[in-house]
Amino acid sequence: MLYFKLMDEISAKSWRFTRKALERAKSQHADAVIIELNTYGGLLDNADSIRSAILDAPMPVYVFINKNAASAGALISLACDSIYMHPGSTIGAASVVNQSGELLPDKYQSYMRGIMRSTATRNHRRPEIAEAMVDGNIVVDSINKKGQVITFTSEEAVTYGYCEAIVNTVDEVLARTGLTGAELLVFEPTTLDAFLGWLQAPFMSGLLILLILGGIYFEFQHPGAFFPIGVSIVAALLYFAPKCEAESQWQSW
């Protein structure tokens, strides 16, 4: 049994860490994987990559929502074979928004509705509820009103089949899944993981791109000056390091 946490914004760092964790679970022939999740959302492309990896995992994947599974977190949760929630936790509110919190055009919402629906269907959950977590114009029975996207409390999630049980600890998840006494391998990020994740943060990625372009520009303005092009080369190495490492790991998977 392998256990790991996703407790921050869903990003390239989250995707890289999840992929490595699932790879470790596969190499160790783990009976199952438990993800402890607490996130308000994040980047859709990274969330979709995590979703796909979970759906393709050769072992069952269970999620323990410890407080929040909003937006991208809801999508990741729906990909798991079973959902367990801590008391007072929530799941839903999966509309696609920009960095200012404004709704993006319908083509983005349509895509999110589609992957939420297909993911829910894959794991035998009501697909219309998954769509209504994205689009407030979809009204499901008496669960929501028009214009109101669905967000479930833990109790509501149990009622409507979006949570198997309300639990307080990972040990309770193990008991519910019949894995009491199983050896629990805790997968945690290494120092290298933390460093590469830091390089993938939006601020750092933007800064590195600026240094790459700035170094090239100054080299054109002052040919032969070593320092600007040297800075550009170092920034490029740092920018592409996480991507090259991820590609190598993905090919091995």
Side-chain angles (χ1 to χ4, degrees):
M1 167 70 67
L2 184 136
Y3 161 82
F4 69 97
K5 294 182 178 182
L6 290 177
M7 308 296 277
D8 300 307
E9 178 180 327
I10 302 303
S11 62
K13 173 185 175 182
S14 309
W15 159 228
R16 178 180 178 277
F17 181 61
T18 300
R19 176 179 46 74
K20 290 187 69 175
L22 293 176
E23 184 179 57
R24 173 67 64 83
K26 182 180 178 182
S27 67
Q28 296 289 326
H29 305 289
D31 294 325
V33 171
I34 296 178
I35 303 171
E36 184 172 346
L37 179 70
N38 181 18
T39 181
Y40 288 108
L43 299 177
L44 176 56
D45 58 341
N46 296 133
D48 192 27
S49 295
I50 294 172
R51 174 194 80 103
S52 298
I54 291 172
L55 290 175
D56 292 340
M59 73 291 292
V61 180
Y62 309 124
V63 64
F64 172 39
I65 299 172
N66 192 355
K67 300 298 184 288
N68 302 291
S71 193
L75 177 61
I76 292 169
S77 298
L78 293 190
C80 296
D81 295 273
S82 296
I83 299 173
Y84 298 90
M85 299 177 70
H86 192 276
S89 297
T90 56
I91 179 174
S95 303
V96 186
V97 299
N98 61 21
Q99 292 183 342
S100 301
E102 300 170 336
L103 288 176
L104 290 177
D106 187 64
K107 70 175 184 178
Y108 297 98
Q109 312 304 333
S110 176
Y111 179 75
M112 189 64 168
R113 287 195 302 269
I115 58 176
M116 288 285 284
R117 180 178 64 249
S118 64
T119 306
T121 300
R122 169 76 177 267
N123 286 322
H124 310 293
R125 300 183 180 104
R126 292 176 61 183
E128 70 274 17
I129 291 178
E131 289 190 86
M133 288 182 172
V134 179
D135 190 344
N137 291 317
I138 299 173
V139 178
V140 182
D141 303 331
S142 59
I143 298 176
N144 66 319
K145 299 177 181 179
K146 188 174 178 63
Q148 180 185 65
V149 296
I150 289 177
T151 299
F152 282 149
T153 63
S154 50
E155 291 81 4
E156 290 168 338
V158 171
T159 299
Y160 294 107
Y162 269 62
C163 175
E164 273 61 46
I166 299 172
V167 299
N168 289 285
T169 65
V170 172
D171 286 338
E172 290 184 46
V173 176
L174 292 174
R176 292 274 182 174
T177 55
L179 293 168
T180 302
E183 181 182 0
L184 196 65
L185 171 65
V186 179
F187 188 80
E188 296 180 318
T190 64
T191 302
L192 177 60
D193 291 328
F195 176 66
L196 293 177
W198 177 69
L199 291 178
Q200 289 181 291
F203 170 77
M204 280 304 302
S205 294
L207 178 61
L208 290 173
I209 290 173
L210 183 63
L211 291 174
I212 293 169
L213 297 177
I216 294 172
Y217 173 79
F218 278 104
E219 175 63 22
F220 278 123
Q221 293 297 311
H222 305 281
F226 173 76
F227 183 73
I229 197 63
V231 169
S232 183
I233 291 171
V234 171
L237 291 174
L238 291 174
Y239 180 79
F240 288 108
K243 296 173 175 54
C244 292
E245 192 270 351
E247 179 65 22
S248 174
Q249 293 284 346
W250 179 252
Q251 288 174 354
S252 68
W253 169 267

